[in-house]
């Protein structure tokens, strides 16, 4: 056993060594080829341990490798897979009739609500007894009758969820699959068959109605959302959008923000009690809040994080006596243990944005609230602590927000500063008045009356910042390396003498994009419509047209994620596209046949016909070929054979392509964007040994010059 001892490694290093191995194994277990990276990391660590005696010895790295690979295998065993009798086996079906039992509370939208149900019996178009879970959209009006345990009869369309086909698009199919859901149902008619008693749901709805009765709309719904979360109430979409634009959307979801406020304020209010009594009392109040707020994953995770902090305080009672002491670094061990336990329970929370936000916000509170509180020691403790909580939570979640959404509000921190005290009173006051409403409704109205003034002020504040110039900026999505560097900077700032390291990392973050140039030409043909985004010679262009919903939801979203502040030009392929909130320098249309549209010194479009263009760049040429009959394709080929002989790729916006095009001398392949593509065209392209990229199967297609092509799927 002598060989298994550490020569110079203390217990704290040992704890973080094994905790880190668990988190890496569980976290990377959901990533393709993640196990290979883990083996490489263990190998590097083992090699370094021979030169650095402060690191664990080689045998420990071997043990960590075995542990991490075992956890990767555990994660793969936990991957949900549809059974032969899963409801998805009967999809798609139109005019399906299904009996089911509600599993989750409805989540309200603009005109619909969504929920999960357990299928009980498929009545039509055929009789069957399906299993599994089903994601259902129901009319908003009927959602108030639904809660877990209610049995329903649904009439509507059964289908499979669609995956992400454009860069950065939300992958709804993957999101549902992680929950074991492989089919969706759009209900046109909902009939309630039975409604068993569910006292928790009835309790929450009673509390919401009490606030609405006392304050009216929309203040009653807003107070309920601040206390119980947006899932408990239907909030005005305009108000939701305004909160999102100013970076206060986290306040509308029952999660870490509310838990942090309740825990910190309970500990302050119970300041005269003994340390153990303070922690126990705060724990009981938190338990009561969790019962009232409901059992959504986000609130349960936040609650467990809150109990992790309380457990750390019991472990070190001296922390309670210090400013910001409830967030001492010793709590990191408890946080790591809770994170490992949660990921063992559900490994797929590792890629869940809500879990990541909760974990990072709690990590920020533990590491940053103490130092920030001391920096603001000139303020009363109550104000300093709350300002520190706001700054820490915002700072530690901002890099993740930028890496996912690529947007931020320059007024967010200021809005949080101004709103934090009002939110403090609204959350705590709303929570107390919710409890009072269970026994004395008239007193609730009296307690809500001053809260109504604060709500009016909050609504005015949010509206002011949301409508201010530049309320939302779109710097673009951060790359994974940039996100890691930002978090490395934050960690370095908390290390002894770590400012120099933080400065070096920050310099690398700023200089990195300049030292690693991107492709000189990039053409992204987006899926689901007719359009492509071209970047060439430092400018960005949009070529295409389409429905307003597709232009806004796909094209504008893609431009924002890339940080495009304006388009140098729009080249319409039909009607002039309207791209809301994206400045356009010029619109180059309508297109005139036999002309050249110059986009730059080496980038131009040769217009052969209104629906047939050749994009010429320094990296190659792409032919856009719109809808044509066989005869029209033959005539076009004869008329423009000389020009087509110089084409490298064909962007095919047509269900078929005649074989002679596949004999063009420089042709490398086809970008097909129609929802349907003829079998003959697919077979002939394959036989000609040309590349075929069909957006229906491969998602958006990105060409970076030459033969360099990437697809989303």
């Amino acid at each position: 056993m002598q060989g298994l001892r550490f020569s110079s490694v203390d217990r704290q290093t040992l704890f973080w060594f094994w905790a880190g191995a668990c988190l890496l194994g569980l976290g990377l277990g959901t990533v393709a080829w993640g196990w290979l990276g883990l083996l490489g990391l263990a190998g590097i660590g083992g090699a370094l341990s021979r030169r650095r005696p402060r690191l664990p010895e080689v045998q420990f790295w071997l043990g960590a490798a075995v542990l991490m690979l075992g956890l990767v295998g555990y994660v793969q065993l936990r991957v949900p897979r549809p059974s032969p009798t899963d409801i998805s086996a009967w999809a798609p079906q139109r005019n399906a009739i299904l009996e089911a039992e509600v599993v989750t509370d409805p989540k309200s939208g603009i005109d619909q609500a969504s929920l999960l149900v357990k299928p009980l019996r498929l009545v039509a178009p055929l009789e069957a007894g399906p299993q599994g879970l089903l994601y259902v959209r129901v009319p908003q009006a009927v959602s108030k009758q639904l809660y877990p345990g209610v049995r329903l009869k649904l009439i509507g369309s059964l289908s499979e969820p669609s995956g992400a086909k454009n860069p950065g698009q939300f992958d709804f199919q993957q999101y549902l699959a992680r929950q074991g859901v492989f089919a969706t149902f759009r209900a046109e008619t909902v009939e309630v068959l039975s409604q068993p008693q569910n006292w928790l749901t009835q309790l929450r709805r009673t509390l919401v109605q009490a606030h609405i009765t006392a304050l009216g709309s929309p203040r009653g719904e807003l107070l309920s959302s601040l206390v119980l979360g947006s899932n408990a109430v239907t909030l005005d979409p305009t108000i939701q959008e305004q909160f999102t634009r100013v970076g206060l959307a986290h306040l509308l979801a029952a999660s870490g923000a509310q838990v942090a406020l309740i825990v910190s304020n309970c500990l302050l209010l119970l300041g005269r009690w003994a340390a153990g009594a303070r922690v126990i009392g705060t724990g009981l109040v938190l338990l009561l809040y969790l019962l009232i707020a409901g059992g959504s994953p986000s609130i349960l995770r936040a609650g467990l994080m809150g109990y992790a902090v309380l457990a750390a305080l019991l472990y070190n009672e001296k922390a309670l006596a210090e400013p910001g002491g409830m967030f001492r670094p010793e709590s990191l061990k408890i946080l790591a243990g809770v994170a490992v336990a949660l990921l063992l329970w559900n490994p797929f929370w590792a890629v869940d944005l809500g879990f990541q936000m909760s974990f990072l916000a709690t990590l920020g509170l533990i590491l940053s609230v103490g130092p920030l509180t001391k920096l603001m020691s000139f303020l009363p403790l109550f104000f300093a602590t709350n300002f520190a909580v706001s700054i820490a939570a915002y700072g530690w979640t901002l890099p993740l927000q930028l890496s996912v959404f690529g947007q931020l509000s320059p007024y967010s921190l200021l809005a949080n500063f101004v709103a934090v005290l009002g939110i403090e009173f609204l959350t705590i006051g709303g929570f107390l008045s919710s409890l009072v409403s269970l026994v004395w409704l008239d007193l609730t109205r009296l307690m809500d009356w001053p809260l109504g003034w604060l709500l009016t002020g909050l609504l005015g504040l949010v509206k002011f910042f949301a409508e201010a110039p530049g309320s939302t900026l779109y710097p673009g999505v951060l790359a994974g390396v940039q996100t890691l560097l930002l978090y490395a900077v934050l960690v370095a700032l908390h290390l002894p003498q770590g400012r120099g390291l933080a400065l070096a990392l920050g310099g690398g973050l700023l200089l990195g994009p300049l030292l690693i140039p991107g492709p000189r030409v990039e053409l992204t043909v987006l899926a689901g419509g007719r359009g492509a985004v071209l970047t060439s010679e430092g400018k960005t262009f949009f070529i295409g047209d389409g429905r307003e919903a597709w232009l806004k939801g796909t094209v504008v979203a893609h431009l924002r994620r890339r940080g495009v502040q304006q388009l140098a030009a729009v080249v319409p392929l039909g009607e002039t596209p309207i791209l809301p909130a994206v400045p356009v320098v010029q619109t180059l249309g309508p297109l005139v046949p036999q002309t050249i549209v110059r986009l730059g010194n080496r980038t131009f479009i040769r217009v052969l016909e209104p629906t047939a263009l050749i994009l010429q760049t320094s990296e190659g040429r792409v032919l856009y070929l719109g809808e044509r009959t066989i005869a029209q394709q033959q005539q076009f080929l004869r008329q423009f054979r000389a020009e087509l002989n110089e084409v490298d790729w064909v962007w095919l916006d047509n269900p078929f392509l005649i074989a002679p095009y596949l004999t063009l001398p420089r042709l490398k392949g086809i970008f097909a964007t129609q929802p349907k593509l003829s079998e003959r065209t697919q077979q002939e392209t394959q036989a000609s040994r040309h590349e075929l990229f069909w957006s229906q199967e491969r998602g958006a297609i990105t060409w970076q010059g030459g033969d360099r092509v990437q697809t989303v799927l």
Side-chain angles (χ1 to χ4, degrees):
M1 299 296 291
Q2 184 72 18
L4 292 178
R5 293 176 56 192
F6 283 107
S7 57
S8 59
V9 176
D10 56 25
R11 290 184 177 181
Q12 183 164 313
T13 302
L14 180 63
F15 171 84
W16 287 113
F17 178 79
W18 293 113
C22 290
L23 290 173
L24 284 172
L26 291 166
L28 293 180
T30 60
V31 179
W33 301 100
W35 62 272
L36 196 59
L38 295 174
L39 282 180
L41 183 63
I44 293 171
L48 289 176
S49 66
R50 293 182 177 275
R51 297 186 178 184
R52 296 181 178 271
R54 296 184 63 182
L55 291 175
E57 297 175 358
V58 173
Q59 53 266 41
F60 286 93
W61 290 99
L62 290 174
V66 172
L67 173 63
M68 291 187 292
L69 290 179
L71 290 172
V72 169
Y74 166 73
V75 172
Q76 292 303 310
L77 288 174
R78 291 287 306 275
V79 173
R81 296 176 177 85
S83 68
T85 57
D86 188 85
I87 183 66
S88 60
W90 284 268
Q93 293 286 350
R94 299 182 64 182
N95 300 318
I97 302 177
L98 177 73
E99 292 182 4
E101 181 180 317
V102 177
V103 175
T104 63
D105 284 312
K107 184 176 181 179
S108 298
I110 298 176
D111 56 358
Q112 290 184 326
S114 59
L115 66 157
L116 296 183
V117 304
K118 180 174 68 176
L120 300 175
R121 187 167 70 98
L122 186 62
V123 180
L126 50 88
E127 287 266 355
Q131 296 179 337
L133 290 173
L134 182 64
Y135 177 89
V136 179
R137 293 185 179 92
V138 300
Q140 183 67 51
V142 77
S143 65
K144 296 181 180 180
Q145 305 176 47
L146 308 182
Y147 50 83
V150 172
R151 295 189 61 172
L152 306 171
K153 182 178 181 181
L154 305 170
I155 302 176
S157 301
L158 175 67
S159 60
E160 294 179 332
S162 58
K165 292 187 177 181
N166 288 299
Q169 188 177 19
F170 177 65
D171 196 331
F172 186 58
Q173 184 181 56
Q174 192 178 74
Y175 166 75
L176 291 180
R178 289 197 295 264
Q179 303 176 62
V181 181
F182 305 96
T184 64
F185 196 97
R186 183 179 294 275
E188 298 172 0
T189 303
V190 179
E191 178 184 348
V192 176
L193 301 178
S194 64
Q195 284 182 301
Q197 291 296 320
N198 187 317
W199 68 272
L200 275 177
T201 299
Q202 297 298 333
L203 173 64
R204 286 193 291 274
R205 293 183 177 182
T206 299
L207 298 181
V208 170
Q209 190 56 48
H211 291 309
I212 294 175
T213 301
L215 296 169
S217 183
R219 296 186 303 173
E221 288 89 347
L222 178 57
L223 181 61
S224 300
S225 183
L226 291 171
V227 177
L228 306 177
S230 57
N231 287 349
V233 65
T234 303
L235 194 61
D236 186 336
T238 302
I239 294 177
Q240 288 184 319
E241 173 67 18
Q242 290 174 344
F243 270 78
T244 300
R245 293 188 67 180
V246 299
L248 295 176
H250 60 283
L251 300 175
L252 302 179
S255 57
Q258 285 82 349
V259 169
L261 287 173
I262 288 173
V263 169
S264 59
N265 281 280
C266 279
L267 290 174
L268 286 174
L269 292 172
L270 303 178
R272 295 179 178 272
W273 292 20
R278 291 174 68 188
V279 171
I280 293 173
T282 301
L284 291 175
V285 173
L286 180 56
L287 177 62
L288 183 60
Y289 174 73
L290 295 178
L291 287 173
I292 291 177
S296 67
S298 61
I299 191 62
L300 290 178
R301 289 194 299 261
L304 287 172
M305 295 293 183
Y307 280 114
V309 172
L310 293 176
L313 293 177
L314 277 180
Y315 177 75
N316 187 353
E317 295 182 3
K318 292 181 180 179
L320 286 166
E322 300 180 10
M326 65 191 73
F327 304 113
R328 285 177 63 94
E330 286 82 352
S331 304
L332 283 174
K333 291 183 179 179
I334 302 294
L335 176 63
V338 170
V340 171
L342 288 173
L343 293 179
L344 283 171
W345 175 261
N346 187 342
F348 304 98
W349 281 346
V351 291
D352 181 273
L353 183 61
F355 175 83
Q356 294 168 357
M357 286 286 194
S358 294
F359 178 81
L360 288 169
T362 307
L363 178 64
L365 297 181
I366 291 172
L367 290 179
S368 303
V369 166
L372 288 172
T373 302
K374 291 178 181 178
L375 284 176
M376 294 184 286
S377 58
F378 57 90
L379 294 174
L381 179 60
F382 176 80
F383 294 98
T385 301
N386 282 286
F387 285 143
V389 167
S390 178
I391 296 172
Y394 177 77
W396 280 85
T397 56
L398 180 61
L400 179 60
Q401 176 184 327
L402 288 173
S403 72
V404 175
F405 303 110
Q407 69 179 58
L408 61 86
S409 170
Y411 309 122
S412 181
L413 191 56
L414 178 59
N416 274 275
F417 268 137
V418 178
V420 65
L421 297 180
I423 295 296
E424 187 92 14
F425 289 112
L426 287 171
T427 301
I428 302 301
F431 178 50
L432 293 175
S433 69
S434 297
L435 297 179
V436 170
S437 69
L438 300 177
V439 293
W440 194 355
L441 188 58
D442 289 338
L443 183 56
T444 298
R445 294 173 181 171
L446 184 62
M447 294 176 69
D448 279 356
W449 180 59
L451 298 181
W453 293 350
L454 287 175
L455 289 166
T456 301
L458 177 62
L459 287 170
L461 173 74
V462 170
K463 183 178 181 181
F464 170 78
F465 282 121
E467 295 178 352
S471 60
T472 306
L473 302 180
Y474 300 94
V477 172
L478 293 180
V481 174
Q482 292 175 305
T483 306
L484 291 176
L485 280 175
L486 268 177
Y487 280 113
V489 169
L490 286 173
V491 171
L493 288 173
H494 292 80
L495 296 176
Q497 301 178 343
R499 292 184 179 179
L501 177 60
L503 185 62
L505 291 170
L509 180 66
L510 295 174
L511 295 176
L514 301 177
L515 299 176
I516 306 175
R520 288 188 292 180
V521 174
E522 184 172 276
L523 178 72
T524 300
V525 182
L526 298 169
R530 182 168 65 173
V533 175
L534 169 67
T535 301
S536 180
E537 301 182 44
K539 299 177 183 178
T540 303
F541 310 87
F542 176 68
I543 305 170
D545 60 4
R547 304 183 310 276
E548 181 181 354
W550 181 77
L551 291 170
K552 181 179 180 181
T554 299
V555 179
V556 173
H558 176 70
L559 294 172
R560 286 175 170 175
R561 286 182 56 83
R562 290 179 54 173
V564 176
Q565 305 302 319
Q566 72 173 15
L567 288 171
V570 166
V571 181
L573 294 177
E575 295 183 3
T576 302
I578 299 175
L579 300 170
V582 178
V584 177
V585 175
Q586 60 178 329
T587 299
L588 303 175
L591 300 177
V592 179
Q594 305 297 317
T595 60
I596 292 178
V597 178
R598 187 165 294 278
L599 303 179
N601 295 329
R602 292 165 295 170
T603 307
F604 57 87
I605 291 175
R606 185 186 299 274
V607 183
L608 305 180
E609 293 181 357
T611 57
L613 323 170
I614 293 180
L615 169 66
Q616 182 168 331
T617 72
S618 59
E619 299 294 310
R621 303 183 184 190
V622 178
L623 166 68
Y624 169 76
L625 193 62
E627 293 191 17
R628 278 172 170 71
T629 64
I630 293 177
Q632 288 172 334
Q633 287 191 19
Q634 292 171 340
Q635 172 61 28
F636 181 77
L637 183 60
R638 287 193 297 267
Q639 183 178 357
F640 297 104
R641 183 78 194 207
E643 291 85 349
L644 299 184
N645 283 340
E646 301 298 318
V647 166
D648 299 292
W649 296 88
V650 173
W651 169 8
L652 180 64
D653 190 22
N654 201 63
F656 59 86
L657 182 70
I658 61 175
Y661 282 85
L662 300 174
T663 64
L664 295 174
R666 293 185 54 176
L667 186 68
K668 294 181 172 64
I670 309 295
F671 306 148
T673 56
Q674 283 281 331
K676 294 182 180 180
L677 186 64
S678 72
E679 288 285 342
R680 182 172 179 176
T681 297
Q682 296 181 54
Q683 293 169 0
E684 289 177 344
T685 305
Q686 185 177 10
S688 67
R689 297 186 178 181
H690 288 107
E691 294 279 359
L692 173 61
F693 299 97
W694 184 19
S695 62
Q696 186 69 13
E697 293 182 346
R698 306 286 292 273
I701 305 158
T702 299
W703 173 67
Q704 296 179 334
D707 56 0
R708 298 183 298 276
V709 178
Q710 299 175 353
T711 59
V712 170
L713 303 178

